[in-house]
Amino acid sequence: MFQMGCAARRGAAMVSKTSGSYVPWSKERTIEVVDKHRCERGPLMPILHELQEMFGYIDPDAVDLLASELNLSKADVHGVVTFYKDFRSDSAGDSVIRLCRGEACQSMGAEELARHALEHLGIGFGATTPDGAVTLEQVFCLGNCALSPAVMVEGRLKGRVDESVSTRSSTNLRRGRGDGCCHGVRAPRRRSAFCGRRRGRGRHRA
Ligand code: FES
């Protein structure tokens, strides 16, 4: 009976993110996400991931709400949010660029790429452009070392990125045109798992 109630709530909790931007934080939507996961084992992480994806960050009020809804202490929830780098505690821009500064990427020019991105966007790591379009973050491995230097743009992984790609992506994002897919990426000889492009043939996958 209890399981059926959970399934019904899960079905009812059809919440979605506005295309290309985040939904403003609200208590109601947060409760919907909680209801969707509350019957799972260890619901906190999936809830936090979904909130992060929906709102772009974990609102401080959500921490209190999750603690009371999941019967946890505020310190427990806060501890998880602050421990994992994937979770933000303040709102991000419409798009997030994550630039890898891990060892493999550094050896392939990530520092130069980082300097270029900082200069081009005119912000520091962890900051958002004044127009609210782009947030720039640094990470220390995206699991794409074989195709370094790597970046993640709006959740999509890109490998063998050079300055022209960085510039194009950030410029397009600020103009609200997406990131321009993988144009300008120095494509490997074989078709990459991260880029559907084959030179001279067909279209890219987005
Ligand atoms: S070090 Fe950059 S993807 Fe692994």
Side-chain angles (χ1 to χ4, degrees):
M1 190 66 185
F2 179 70
Q3 287 299 328
M4 281 181 67
C6 291
R9 279 200 295 272
R10 196 175 296 127
M14 295 298 290
V15 283
S16 62
K17 186 163 78 81
T18 303
S19 176
S21 62
Y22 295 109
V23 171
W25 184 81
S26 77
K27 182 178 174 180
E28 293 70 29
R29 282 181 182 270
T30 302
I31 294 283
E32 285 180 15
V33 174
V34 171
D35 283 345
K36 185 175 163 187
H37 295 283
R38 73 163 74 242
C39 302
E40 295 172 8
R41 256 179 109 178
L44 182 58
M45 287 298 281
I47 289 172
L48 289 174
H49 277 292
E50 191 159 338
L51 295 180
Q52 170 82 30
E53 194 182 329
M54 182 178 293
F55 303 124
Y57 73 112
I58 308 298
D59 193 279
D61 288 343
V63 172
D64 295 354
L65 195 55
L66 294 186
S68 106
E69 289 289 323
L70 300 176
N71 203 19
L72 298 169
S73 72
K74 289 179 191 174
D76 284 340
V77 180
H78 179 74
V80 173
V81 172
T82 51
F83 181 79
Y84 292 101
K85 294 271 181 216
D86 270 359
F87 300 133
R88 300 178 57 87
S89 294
D90 51 359
S91 60
D94 290 338
S95 303
V96 177
I97 296 178
R98 294 181 152 181
L99 194 148
C100 181
R101 299 179 74 190
E103 218 169 290
C105 287
Q106 276 195 37
S107 72
M108 295 298 285
E111 288 308 289
E112 207 177 315
L113 197 61
R115 267 195 300 280
H116 177 78
L118 292 168
E119 196 176 302
H120 181 71
L121 290 170
I123 53 173
F125 284 116
T128 301
T129 53
D131 58 5
V134 179
T135 296
L136 181 65
E137 292 181 345
Q138 60 178 338
V139 292
F140 293 91
C141 192
L142 288 166
N144 194 30
C145 309
L147 294 177
S148 55
V151 299
M152 184 172 275
V153 183
E154 294 190 299
R156 291 201 300 272
L157 196 55
K158 294 174 183 295
R160 299 190 180 175
V161 175
D162 59 21
E163 290 178 9
S164 69
V165 179
S166 162
T167 305
R168 193 188 320 249
S169 285
S170 50
T171 302
N172 284 341
L173 288 171
R174 295 185 78 174
R175 290 176 181 164
R177 294 182 189 161
D179 72 333
C181 188
C182 44
H183 289 284
V185 172
R186 296 199 301 267
R189 277 196 189 154
R190 281 197 217 146
R191 189 176 184 183
S192 158
F194 308 108
C195 170
R197 183 180 187 184
R198 269 192 279 206
R199 285 185 188 168
R201 281 201 217 166
R203 292 163 56 87
H204 305 208
R205 285 198 306 250

